[in-house]
Amino acid sequence: MSDATKGHSVVVGPDEGRSLWQPLPSRGYVTVNLTADNMAYDTFSSGIQLLPPGCEVREHGHRQNHELVFVYEGTGFVEIDGVVTDLQPESTVLFARNCIHRLVNTGAVDMKLFWVFMPPGLEDWFYAIGRDRRPGEPMPEAFARPDNVQEVMEKMRFLPPRAKT
C-alpha cells in the first residue's frame, strides 16, 4: 500500500479535547474530541458527554443530521418520537434525521456517553451554550441556557420539542 492511499489517523487522549460545562437541564459536561479542526475528515464530529443523575438532554431533533450515541456508564432511558426505551451500559442509539428525542439519566451515578454527529455541527451547539471547563475543576452552580438559545437552535436546524398536549 502506498502512502497516497493511507488514511489520516488521529488519537485524542483523555482531557485533550475542548471541554464545556452544560446548562440546565443537562448540567455535566461535554468534551469535543474530533472535528474538522483536528482531523482530515469533514463528514462527522465526535466526543463524550457526562450527564449527572436526574439530568437530561432535553427533547429536540435534527433536520439535517444523524446522531449516534453509545452509553458506556450509567442507566436511564431514551425517548424517540414518544417511544421510551431503557438504557444501560453498552446500549447504542441511532437518532435519525427529523426524529424528536431526549435522553434522561434515571440512575444514581453519572451517565457517560460517546457521540458521533453526521455531518458535523453538534460541537457548534456545545460551543454556543456551554462554558469552558478545565479538567478536574468542580462542577459550577447550575446555570441557564443563553438568552439566544432559540436563535442558535434555528441556525443549527434543530427541531423543537413536541407540543405538549
Side-chain angles (χ1 to χ4, degrees):
M1 178 181 298
S2 74
D3 284 343
T5 59
K6 280 189 175 184
H8 174 81
S9 300
V10 177
V11 176
V12 179
D15 301 328
E16 289 182 356
R18 182 173 176 194
S19 195
L20 301 119
W21 293 111
Q22 294 298 287
L24 289 169
S26 296
R27 293 214 65 206
Y29 63 85
V30 168
T31 302
V32 178
N33 289 327
L34 295 174
T35 70
D37 293 333
N38 68 347
M39 65 176 180
Y41 307 105
D42 61 1
T43 57
F44 73 95
S45 57
S46 71
I48 60 168
Q49 183 164 5
L50 181 139
L51 196 60
C55 292
E56 69 177 271
V57 175
R58 55 104 189 112
E59 189 175 73
H60 70 286
H62 309 283
R63 287 188 175 100
Q64 67 180 19
N65 303 86
H66 300 290
E67 183 177 3
L68 178 70
V69 171
F70 177 77
V71 178
Y72 60 96
E73 286 184 27
T75 57
F77 70 84
V78 61
E79 182 177 356
I80 304 171
D81 292 333
V83 177
V84 175
T85 305
D86 288 335
L87 296 174
Q88 60 188 9
E90 300 187 21
S91 296
T92 301
V93 181
L94 176 63
F95 300 114
R97 289 181 180 125
N98 298 310
C99 291
I100 301 295
H101 57 274
R102 73 182 184 130
L103 278 162
V104 180
N105 180 350
T106 58
V109 300
D110 293 333
M111 180 183 277
K112 295 181 181 178
L113 314 165
F114 169 74
W115 55 266
V116 179
F117 205 64
M118 306 154 281
L122 190 59
E123 64 278 13
D124 295 327
W125 167 255
F126 295 131
Y127 300 156
I129 68 165
R131 295 181 181 170
D132 283 322
R133 170 186 173 266
R134 286 188 311 270
E137 72 182 354
M139 186 182 305
E141 291 294 320
F143 61 95
R145 294 164 149 203
D147 291 338
N148 69 339
V149 71
Q150 287 303 120
E151 178 185 317
V152 174
M153 287 178 66
E154 289 170 17
K155 180 180 177 186
M156 296 193 62
R157 298 185 178 155
F158 272 47
L159 296 171
R162 294 174 295 150
K164 302 297 180 197
T165 56

